[in-house]
Amino acid sequence: MAADEKAKAKTEQATGKVKQAAGSALGNERLEAKGHADEAKGHARQAKEDIKDELKGKGKDERP
């Protein structure tokens, strides 16, 4: 399940970047702001998963 959550995090980050770029290109501030929010949500989800890994003893140095 952790891999699924990590994939969701990356997807949210990528979606956010696309929305930001589209909003910027179109001059749509609302879309650009939504992109920032989606990207931040993805970063938060990723941080949560990293913390869970650390607590389980699977630090970045120990990952395969």
Side-chain angles (χ1 to χ4, degrees), residues 5-25:
E5 288 295 314
K6 289 179 182 180
K8 284 182 185 179
K10 292 294 183 186
T11 301
E12 286 174 340
Q13 291 170 9
T15 301
K17 287 184 185 214
V18 169
K19 287 181 181 179
Q20 286 177 48
S24 180

Side-chain angles (χ1 to χ4, degrees), residues 14-39:
T15 301
K17 287 184 185 214
V18 169
K19 287 181 181 179
Q20 286 177 48
S24 180
L26 298 172
N28 186 332
E29 292 178 6
R30 181 177 284 172
L31 182 59
E32 192 172 352
K34 178 67 174 157
H36 283 288
D38 287 350
E39 187 176 6

Side-chain angles (χ1 to χ4, degrees), residues 6 16 43 52 60 62:
K6 289 179 182 180
H43 285 296
K52 284 171 45 177
K60 289 183 181 181
E62 298 174 17

